[in-house]
Amino acid sequence: MSVITLSTVEAAYDTVGAYNQDAINGFSDQILDAMLDLSQPATATHILDAMAGDGNLTVRLYDYCQRRGIALPRVDVLELSHVQCAFARQRLQDTPARVIWGNIVTLEDYEQSTRLPGQAFDRVLLKSGTHEIPLAHQSALYANIWHMLAPGGMFVNLGFVFDDEIERDQFREITRVKDRLAGMQSAAEQRHFLTREEFYSRLHEAGFVDVRCGRHVQYAIHTQVAIQQYFPPEAWDRINAEIQAEQARALVLRRRGRIHFQGESSIMLCPGEITLARRPR
Ligand SMILES: C[S@@+](CC[C@H](N)C(=O)[O-])C[C@H]1O[C@@H](n2cnc3c(N)ncnc32)[C@H](O)[C@@H]1O
């Protein structure tokens, strides 16, 4: 990965500042708890929350364990944006979690000026992150997750998984409009939303076995909710109109019931899943 790419990806989530990823995606507590159920934290000792943003999944994980009387596993929180790392440190200050400012594509730990360790975790959890990584670096992403997992360890991913390339491409264009308007130029150029074929084939190439869908998930992205997370109030009407103009052009998504307009608002329903993959013993 080039230095330019690194700094620009980092800047993207520095620019966003405080926001709620799950509200944007329309994820319910049920969906997020399903991810934790499938992660089986009761049998885990050391978990990596990868591409963790403000650490919200780890906050939820600790709460999940406490409510169920599960011994708290060690959790490392890995995040590229130092702004998001600062939010994570604040949110997790009363927990034993360790926040690492680092890069999952290069395995650099900027905090310690070392490499992220191999075979260190029995779970790697990744929520809403794979689409941030450019296609050219997707293979490295899964190879690095495999490298960080101990033998027998499990990768649990909650993310977009498209079965249809045209749907993916049209959704990509709509997202690109939002990214450009939000000043996330690197994201606009580099993001890659995976098809199932692209995702599963890379997992297998990395050496994962037992790759399977643990649960289908439907993203329910309310345009107005997303806009309110990313933009100041004075821009809401203008951005809403620009994004809806792109949504109107996405005829295949509309024909298949994936975009609905109602009054001045709209909603996009996109396919996703909680995917499980195991590093063999
Ligand atoms: C869409 S956000 C999701 C954050 C969090 N997982 C959540 O669900 O709220 C993706 C996060 O991945 C981070 N990220 C992007 N590239 C990364 C990389 N190479 N290494 C580590 N984190 C990265 C971004 O800074 C951003 O905070």
Side-chain angles (χ1 to χ4, degrees):
M1 185 176 214
S2 74
V3 174
I4 291 169
T5 304
L6 275 182
S7 57
T8 49
V9 171
E10 184 179 357
Y13 278 85
D14 291 347
T15 310
V16 175
Y19 76 111
N20 183 334
Q21 186 66 55
D22 298 329
I24 292 172
N25 293 332
F27 286 167
S28 62
D29 286 339
Q30 261 183 337
I31 291 174
L32 297 163
D33 280 355
M35 180 180 188
L36 298 177
D37 289 343
L38 289 162
S39 308
Q40 301 177 352
T43 57
T45 54
H46 197 181
I47 296 180
L48 180 69
D49 178 1
M51 306 182 72
D54 66 3
N56 62 79
L57 183 62
T58 296
V59 171
R60 183 177 287 273
L61 172 66
Y62 279 131
D63 181 57
Y64 176 100
C65 291
Q66 264 155 0
R67 277 188 281 125
R68 288 164 178 75
I70 296 171
L72 299 186
R74 277 173 69 199
V75 182
D76 286 355
V77 169
L78 175 66
E79 169 55 43
L80 179 66
S81 155
H82 62 85
V83 171
Q84 298 299 325
C85 280
F87 290 132
R89 284 196 186 94
Q90 200 176 19
R91 292 189 71 152
L92 294 163
Q93 60 187 344
D94 296 327
T95 75
R98 190 169 69 111
V99 177
I100 303 169
W101 177 42
N103 189 322
I104 198 162
V105 174
T106 59
L107 289 179
E108 287 166 291
D109 176 339
Y110 302 127
E111 205 82 21
Q112 314 278 336
S113 298
T114 55
R115 257 172 85 79
L116 295 164
Q119 304 197 6
F121 304 97
D122 41 24
R123 302 284 184 281
V124 173
L125 312 187
L126 207 167
K127 173 165 72 69
S128 307
T130 54
H131 63 274
E132 301 293 338
I133 303 299
L135 181 59
H137 300 129
Q138 286 278 337
S139 293
L141 171 65
Y142 308 116
N144 289 347
I145 291 170
W146 193 92
H147 165 82
M148 288 189 284
L149 276 169
M154 197 161 57
F155 172 38
V156 183
N157 184 69
L158 168 51
F160 292 99
V161 179
F162 285 88
D163 284 303
D164 184 298
E165 269 186 51
I166 299 174
E167 288 188 10
R168 184 271 306 280
D169 293 346
Q170 292 196 346
F171 178 67
R172 178 75 195 86
E173 285 312 307
I174 295 164
T175 310
R176 197 166 271 157
V177 168
K178 183 272 290 171
D179 286 340
R180 286 206 183 103
L181 292 167
M184 297 168 73
Q185 198 53 34
S186 63
E189 285 158 18
Q190 296 178 38
R191 270 190 177 158
H192 186 77
F193 293 91
L194 293 156
T195 62
R196 182 181 310 284
E197 204 282 314
E198 289 170 339
F199 185 33
Y200 279 37
S201 64
R202 278 167 180 76
L203 289 172
H204 285 124
E205 276 162 27
F208 283 102
V209 295
D210 301 339
V211 178
R212 67 182 177 92
C213 168
R215 178 185 160 145
H216 291 284
V217 168
Q218 176 154 269
Y219 282 74
I221 304 171
H222 292 263
T223 308
Q224 280 177 322
V225 173
I227 288 171
Q228 287 167 12
Q229 293 289 329
Y230 282 111
F231 300 94
E234 62 275 15
W236 289 351
D237 282 351
R238 177 176 57 84
I239 307 282
N240 195 16
E242 299 226 24
I243 292 176
Q244 287 198 35
E246 193 60 38
Q247 289 173 336
R249 276 190 277 274
L251 288 180
V252 172
L253 290 177
R254 289 173 59 194
R255 203 172 289 139
R256 295 184 185 170
R258 294 207 175 276
I259 298 181
H260 299 269
F261 298 95
Q262 191 176 31
E264 61 173 297
S265 64
S266 63
I267 182 171
M268 290 191 289
L269 305 172
C270 298
E273 71 174 37
I274 302 169
T275 309
L276 305 174
R278 194 170 55 78
R279 174 173 169 159
R281 287 186 192 284

